[in-house]
Amino acid sequence: MDGKKWWRLALRRNLLACFTTCMILGSSGLFFTFPCAFLAVNVSLLLPIITGILFLSCFTSFIITSFMDPGILQQGSDISRHQNLDPQVVKVNGKVFYLKWCQVCQFYQPPRCSHCRLCNVCIEDFDHHCKWVNNCVGRRNYRFFFFFVFFLAIYMLTILGSCLMYLIINYNEPIMVEKSATYPFVLTGAGTGTYNKEEDRTNPFTRGWKRNFFIVLCGRIAPRYLGSLKKLETKRTSRKRDSQQASMETEKLKASKKAKKKEIISKMIQGHTLRVPSHHKAQR
């Protein structure tokens, strides 16, 4: 792939994410500049505080969802010569799963794993590829995607109610810049949705809706496989260095001990040679 094709593909993939960012920042800028400032002075100061917290929560979760590793699995070794590999069978809570071989990533896909054709990687617990955030939604970033959709819905409803309140208060006022900037929030609506591929209604991975809700929102984030492999490599290299240093130190100790023994033996030999002639002279 040459440079022009790569730039075109990157531009197409990032276009919707840039549009989402511009819409969130642009609409928030218009809202906080015109209707929110008026309502903060004439209604309550709690309104800009609440909407500001919702905006920060929404935009932060959006950024984390976009740039976080969704659960990319490490690619296996290149054994592309095996084109027709038999699927492996795994049973989870009585349900049979056939593990398919991924020709691109070169390993058997675990249950609930799927290969994203846009990112060209296999994602653990793959839900869908969201073009609005330009990232896959998987095991590691599903929580932040849920927070993004949740805070975005509440934030848009708050903006809609605030703009309606502003229009009701200024009903008899002529149409000016402030009023014209408020109409788009009232006339537009936002819809969000997800896609989840399910072959059967029974879910062998469920732990009850309460437990599932707690794990998704409050559970521990799964480790990053690519990062963990790098850490393992660094640990292995550090262990090799430590073992090499330890072996070098032991060799130095052995060499020093041998040198000391040689010195002691040489001193003993020299002392014995000095004593023998004097002893012979006394006998004579």
Side-chain angles (χ1 to χ4, degrees):
M1 184 182 291
D2 57 355
K4 292 183 179 179
K5 291 183 179 180
W6 186 85
W7 279 109
R8 289 176 183 175
L9 182 60
L11 181 62
R12 290 176 183 176
R13 290 183 58 185
N14 296 324
L15 187 61
L16 292 177
C18 294
F19 176 75
T20 306
T21 306
C22 294
M23 286 296 295
I24 293 174
L25 295 178
S27 59
S28 299
L30 290 174
F31 172 73
F32 284 107
T33 303
F34 297 109
C36 186
F38 176 82
L39 294 174
V41 175
N42 296 290
V43 179
S44 177
L45 287 173
L46 291 176
L47 184 62
I49 295 173
I50 294 172
T51 52
I53 293 172
L54 291 174
F55 166 73
L56 291 176
S57 302
C58 175
F59 192 71
T60 303
S61 57
F62 168 72
I63 295 297
I64 295 174
T65 306
S66 299
F67 292 97
M68 189 176 185
D69 182 6
I72 301 173
L73 297 177
Q74 179 72 17
Q75 294 184 356
S77 60
D78 188 10
I79 54 174
S80 58
R81 60 183 180 274
H82 301 288
Q83 296 294 333
N84 296 322
L85 293 173
D86 296 330
Q88 301 293 323
V89 180
V90 175
K91 186 179 285 187
V92 180
N93 293 330
K95 188 174 181 179
V96 178
F97 290 90
Y98 294 94
L99 306 184
K100 296 181 180 179
W101 178 261
C102 182
Q103 294 291 340
V104 179
C105 298
Q106 299 293 320
F107 63 82
Y108 285 101
Q109 294 178 349
R112 305 172 70 183
C113 173
S114 182
H115 186 85
C116 179
R117 61 182 180 84
L118 296 175
C119 299
N120 200 25
V121 290
C122 283
I123 307 297
E124 187 181 16
D125 295 351
F126 180 78
D127 186 80
H128 71 288
H129 181 90
C130 184
K131 295 181 180 180
W132 299 102
V133 300
N134 192 25
N135 196 6
C136 293
V137 178
R139 183 179 180 184
R140 299 190 73 249
N141 65 344
Y142 187 85
R143 174 188 306 175
F144 301 100
F145 177 76
F146 176 82
F147 286 153
F148 168 61
V149 175
F150 177 74
F151 286 120
L152 178 63
I154 297 177
Y155 181 53
M156 294 306 294
L157 290 175
T158 306
I159 290 178
L160 181 63
S162 302
C163 292
L164 287 174
M165 186 186 301
Y166 175 82
L167 292 176
I168 291 171
I169 294 173
N170 298 305
Y171 179 74
N172 295 323
E173 297 292 332
I175 297 176
M176 298 180 68
V177 178
E178 297 179 357
K179 207 167 185 179
S180 61
T182 308
Y183 277 113
F185 297 102
V186 181
L187 298 176
T188 59
T192 57
T194 61
Y195 168 76
N196 194 359
K197 184 179 179 181
E198 294 182 359
E199 297 178 355
D200 192 0
R201 292 183 180 179
T202 59
N203 185 8
F205 301 97
T206 185
R207 301 180 183 178
W209 69 272
K210 293 181 180 179
R211 183 70 175 170
N212 294 336
F213 193 80
F214 177 79
I215 291 172
V216 170
L217 299 183
C218 304
R220 186 178 180 181
I221 299 175
R224 188 170 181 262
Y225 296 104
L226 299 178
S228 61
L229 288 174
K230 291 180 181 179
K231 289 179 181 179
L232 286 174
E233 290 178 356
T234 54
K235 286 182 180 179
R236 288 175 182 174
T237 53
S238 63
R239 287 177 182 176
K240 287 182 181 179
R241 290 175 183 174
D242 293 338
S243 62
Q244 290 177 357
Q245 289 179 358
S247 62
M248 291 175 65
E249 289 177 357
T250 52
E251 289 178 357
K252 287 180 180 179
L253 289 173
K254 288 180 181 179
S256 62
K257 287 181 180 180
K258 287 181 181 180
K260 287 180 180 179
K261 286 181 180 179
K262 288 181 180 180
E263 289 179 358
I264 292 169
I265 292 169
S266 62
K267 287 180 180 180
M268 290 176 66
I269 292 170
Q270 289 177 1
H272 183 69
T273 53
L274 291 172
R275 289 174 185 175
V276 168
S278 62
H279 180 67
H280 284 291
K281 287 179 180 180
Q283 287 181 353
R284 290 176 182 176

